[in-house]
């Protein structure tokens, strides 16, 4: 909405969390397999944003630093910065989001993935939260 | 620090605060009030309003009751629009200005009788406006700020007339655009006007604060009606290019820049008239459609095709009707015609758009 309208989630819905993923404080998730980090935004983030209407995807082959802003996700009333959970080279982006950004609302941990990053330094994963740590973090926000 | 109340505690509640909570609404602070942003999702609520019928809690808005001869009591010189020729049971949109010609608020005047008026104003401006009225009405006026005893529910959408008829209000059929009448909903007296902020056929229902819950329930008992929040209300009004105070209108903006000229009576004397007459607008309000689903946002800069900064976005949203971003903003003179390419964003990132004619949404049921 505008600068005077700030939402809070008073719905009390239980947020879904994928057990084997890692999480950031900015509510991105990441799943790392064979050095490739697939990332997106969490259930908490998509719920807070509401209907996603536009995703500004990063350029393929671009280099990003961990926690650098590299994606913008827009809902009807606001735009939000999304940060890279791991540093490296962007090797793939989810082009389906260009036509169907609502995939982020419908399936944020699956078909609503945003980008894949070829990880530069696996040690950066120690800066992320486990599912349990993220659940505790969400509890601390309310 | 412990004794400082939270921001939430300082917000006013409408009579429906616990009803919204029970419906699971996301709440937001707006104009000093705790209001429902959305119940389900903005897109589904938008769809229901444009195709069926929605109810909005607009009890935050302000209502002033004034009794007196319009000219003799000073009311006529406070508002910019012509009011002396208004037939009873009609309403008229306009504004009130400060001495410097800035916009104190936009408002609707209701003529309830020859010397009986209701003024409906924006929630955020109730106290400021009441001070202005009290300062400028004379002893011949009887002024009452009834904002906290008058609730308002908007029923808007192509099926809104059917909903009110189903409640036994057969005479609602006779209300034409910008007229009103006195009705009863299940024995509760209500003033109902055929007005709104959505571009659809619709009604605004003014009822006693303590009866608001009953009216809300009676209307929502009709299965075609869905509750709808301020989030959608803002999308609907931007699609119709309706101005919102604090965005397209404020005390630093000239009514001529804001496109309020046709709501100003040039033949009468009103506060701010002299200043407005001396104004030469340096910018004009404009409307534009994004070339993509990327939406302009209030505060974005506007650039011309050559990259020169020419203005600022005051309202922006994604439009479900156009499946594209839409925006309202002020642009330096001269006025740019529909079809001219502009850009919105900042120096680092600009997105293409074209200037459009108002309204963005041309298929509303407003006058059906």
């Amino acid at each position: 909405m505008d600068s005077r309208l700030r939402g809070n989630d008073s719905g009390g819905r239980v947020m879904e969390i994928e057990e084997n993923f890692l999480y950031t404080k900015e509510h991105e998730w990441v799943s790392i397999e064979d050095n490739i980090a697939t990332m997106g935004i969490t259930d908490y983030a998509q719920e807070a944003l509401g209907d996603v209407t536009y995703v500004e995807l990063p350029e393929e082959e671009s280099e990003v630093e961990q926690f650098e802003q590299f994606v913008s996700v827009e809902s009807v009333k606001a735009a939000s910065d999304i940060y890279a959970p791991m540093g490296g080279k962007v090797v793939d982006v989810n082009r389906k989001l260009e036509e169907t950004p609502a995939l982020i609302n419908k399936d944020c941990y699956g078909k609503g993935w945003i980008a894949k990053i070829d990880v530069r330094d696996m040690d950066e994963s120690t800066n992320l939260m486990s599912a349990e740590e993220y659940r505790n973090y969400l509890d601390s926000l309310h | 620090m412990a004794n400082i109340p939270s921001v939430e505690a300082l917000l006013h509640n409408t009579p429906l605060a616990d009803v919204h909570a029970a419906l699971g609404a996301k709440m937001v602070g707006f104009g000093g009030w705790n209001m429902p942003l959305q119940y389900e999702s903005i897109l589904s609520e938008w769809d229901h309003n444009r195709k069926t019928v929605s109810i909005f809690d607009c009890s935050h808005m302000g209502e002033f009751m004034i009794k007196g001869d319009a000219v003799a009591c000073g009311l006529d010189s406070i508002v910019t629009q012509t009011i002396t020729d208004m037939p009873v049971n009609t309403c008229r949109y306009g504004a009130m200005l400060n001495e410097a010609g800035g916009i104190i608020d936009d408002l609707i005047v209701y003529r309830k009788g020859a010397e009986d008026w209701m003024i409906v104003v924006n929630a955020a401006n109730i106290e400021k406006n009441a001070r202005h009225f009290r300062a400028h009405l004379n002893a011949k006026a009887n002024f009452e700020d009834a904002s906290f005893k008058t609730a308002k529910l908007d029923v808007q959408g192509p099926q809104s007339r059917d909903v009110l008829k189903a409640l036994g209000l057969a005479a609602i059929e006779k209300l034409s655009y910008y007229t009103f009448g006195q009705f009863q909903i299940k024995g509760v007296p209500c003033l109902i006007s055929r007005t709104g902020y959505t571009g659809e056929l619709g009604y605004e229902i003014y009822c006693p604060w303590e009866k608001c819950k009953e009216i809300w329930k009676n209307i929502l008992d009709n299965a075609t009606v869905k509750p709808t929040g301020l989030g959608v209300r803002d999308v609907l009004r931007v699609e119709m290019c309706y101005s919102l105070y604090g965005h397209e209108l404020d005390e630093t903006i000239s009514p001529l820049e804001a496109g309020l000229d046709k709501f100003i009576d040039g033949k009468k004397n009103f506060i701010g008239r002299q200043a407005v007459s001396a104004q030469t607008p340096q910018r004009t309000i404009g409307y534009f459609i994004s070339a993509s689903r990327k939406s302009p946002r209030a505060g974005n800069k506007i650039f011309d095709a050559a990259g020169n900064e020419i203005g600022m976005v005051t309202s922006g949203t994604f439009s479900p009707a156009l499946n594209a971003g839409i925006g309202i903003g002020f642009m330096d003179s001269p006025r740019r015609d529909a079809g001219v390419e502009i850009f919105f964003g900042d120096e680092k990132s600009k997105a293409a758009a074209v200037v459009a004619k108002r309204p963005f949404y041309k298929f509303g049921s407003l006058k059906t």
Side-chain angles (χ1 to χ4, degrees):
Chain A
M1 185 121 275
D2 63 46
S3 54
R4 294 171 306 158
L5 281 176
R6 291 195 184 86
N8 67 301
D9 176 51
S10 58
R13 191 169 77 83
V14 176
M15 296 300 155
E16 286 176 30
I17 297 174
E18 286 285 326
E19 286 307 322
N20 298 318
F21 290 5
L22 298 173
Y23 296 88
T24 69
K25 286 190 172 179
E26 302 290 341
H27 309 286
E28 291 95 8
W29 59 263
V30 62
S31 162
I32 307 173
E33 246 177 84
D34 298 334
N35 222 59
I36 300 295
T38 304
M39 64 76 58
I41 65 170
T42 67
D43 190 29
Y44 177 90
Q46 72 78 22
E47 173 79 15
L49 279 169
D51 297 308
V52 175
T53 54
Y54 178 77
V55 183
E56 194 159 327
L57 295 165
E59 277 182 38
E60 284 182 66
E61 304 294 307
S62 60
E63 293 281 341
V64 291
E65 301 297 322
Q66 188 180 34
F67 305 139
E68 179 188 342
Q69 189 248 318
F70 80 132
V71 172
S72 173
V73 172
E74 295 193 7
S75 60
V76 178
K77 295 311 304 170
S80 297
D81 290 340
I82 307 300
Y83 303 89
M86 296 288 285
K89 185 195 276 186
V90 177
V91 291
D92 197 4
V93 295
N94 186 358
R95 296 260 168 236
K96 286 200 174 120
L97 296 177
E98 290 173 349
E99 282 304 307
T100 319
L103 286 173
I104 288 183
N105 298 113
K106 287 188 188 119
D107 187 10
C108 66
Y109 296 116
K111 291 186 177 127
W113 66 276
I114 295 173
K116 293 181 196 278
I117 298 164
D118 190 354
V119 175
R120 193 181 304 128
D121 176 6
M122 284 302 284
D123 287 348
E124 285 180 354
S125 66
T126 58
N127 299 327
L128 303 174
M129 288 179 273
S130 68
E132 193 184 344
E133 287 165 334
Y134 182 60
R135 187 173 292 114
N136 292 336
Y137 174 66
L138 288 186
D139 287 345
S140 76
L141 298 179
H142 288 284
Chain B
M1 295 291 286
N3 292 326
I4 298 173
S6 67
V7 172
E8 286 75 18
L10 295 171
L11 295 173
H12 299 298
N13 279 316
T14 76
L16 299 174
D18 55 342
V19 175
H20 300 317
L23 286 166
K26 270 190 198 176
M27 302 299 287
V28 291
F30 177 77
W33 291 74
N34 183 33
M35 300 299 294
L37 176 69
Q38 64 181 67
Y39 300 86
E40 197 173 275
S41 86
I42 289 185
L43 291 182
S44 66
E45 288 169 30
W46 176 89
D47 195 65
H48 197 79
N49 173 269
R50 290 269 184 242
K51 292 175 184 161
T52 316
V53 52
S54 306
I55 186 168
F56 304 75
D57 177 10
C58 296
S59 301
H60 59 314
M61 294 191 68
E63 297 85 11
F64 299 153
M65 307 301 174
I66 297 169
K67 289 202 169 68
D69 176 83
V71 175
C73 81
L75 173 61
D76 191 48
S77 63
I78 294 176
V79 299
T80 59
Q81 70 268 51
T82 314
I83 57 170
T84 49
D85 68 347
M86 285 173 67
V88 170
N89 287 342
T90 64
C91 22
R92 202 167 278 176
Y93 177 77
M96 58 185 196
L97 310 181
N98 58 30
E99 292 288 357
I103 305 160
I104 296 175
D105 206 358
D106 63 333
L107 48 81
I108 299 181
V109 173
Y110 285 66
R111 187 167 206 170
K112 294 162 71 180
E115 299 191 354
D116 192 359
W117 311 85
M118 177 169 82
I119 320 289
V120 179
V121 301
N122 284 296
N125 296 335
I126 292 173
E127 288 170 32
K128 169 182 91 168
N129 291 347
R131 275 199 304 276
H132 186 77
F133 273 103
R134 288 193 172 107
H136 294 282
L137 289 170
N138 61 41
K140 292 186 176 127
N142 182 314
F143 175 88
E144 183 197 7
D145 176 0
S147 303
F148 285 85
K149 57 186 206 187
T150 309
K152 179 165 93 75
L153 299 175
D154 291 13
V155 179
Q156 303 274 312
Q159 294 181 27
S160 54
R161 187 185 285 129
D162 303 329
V163 169
L164 296 183
K165 279 163 74 179
L167 284 167
L169 279 58
I172 207 78
E173 194 90 59
K174 296 194 193 112
L175 283 192
S176 54
Y177 191 52
Y178 264 66
T179 68
F180 66 93
Q182 306 289 343
F183 295 85
Q184 290 207 346
I185 296 179
K186 308 263 181 192
V188 177
C190 301
L191 184 159
I192 303 181
S193 59
R194 192 168 149 199
T195 48
Y197 202 43
T198 63
E200 300 299 335
L201 172 67
Y203 301 88
E204 295 182 90
I205 302 171
Y206 299 85
C207 66
W209 195 263
E210 67 279 5
K211 297 288 184 185
C212 180
K213 252 187 218 177
E214 270 176 54
I215 305 286
W216 168 273
K217 185 178 179 306
N218 278 318
I219 293 168
L220 257 190
D221 276 348
N222 186 321
T224 60
V225 184
K226 275 193 179 181
T228 300
L230 283 194
V232 174
R233 191 170 158 85
D234 195 59
V235 175
L236 296 164
R237 72 97 191 162
V238 177
E239 287 187 333
M240 290 308 294
C241 300
Y242 294 151
S243 292
L244 174 62
Y245 197 87
H247 290 248
E248 287 74 37
L249 312 169
D250 72 30
E251 296 204 25
T252 68
I253 296 170
S254 148
L256 304 180
E257 293 171 340
L260 290 181
D261 351 1
K262 60 176 180 281
F263 306 107
I264 295 178
D265 179 352
K267 294 195 191 80
K268 75 172 183 181
N269 202 10
F270 58 86
I271 298 164
R273 183 200 159 104
Q274 264 194 317
V276 171
S277 305
Q279 284 170 353
T280 312
Q282 301 297 310
R283 52 184 189 164
T284 50
I285 195 163
Y287 310 92
F288 58 94
I289 303 173
S290 170
S292 75
R293 292 170 66 98
K294 184 173 176 65
S295 302
R297 306 294 175 184
N300 282 170
K301 291 175 177 175
I302 302 175
F303 303 90
D304 66 12
N308 304 305
E309 189 180 333
I310 56 165
M312 198 181 75
V313 177
T314 48
S315 292
T317 182
F318 176 76
S319 164
L322 275 59
N323 198 30
I326 54 174
I328 307 176
F330 288 101
M331 291 181 242
D332 299 346
S333 299
R335 183 180 288 278
R336 284 163 183 81
D337 292 330
V340 170
E341 186 179 48
I342 58 161
F343 293 82
F344 63 88
D346 56 28
E347 280 75 9
K348 285 185 292 179
S349 169
K350 301 185 180 92
V354 289
V355 175
K357 285 193 177 136
R358 71 191 305 250
F360 294 116
Y361 183 65
K362 301 184 196 317
F363 309 106
S365 56
L366 182 64
K367 304 226 172 137
T368 55

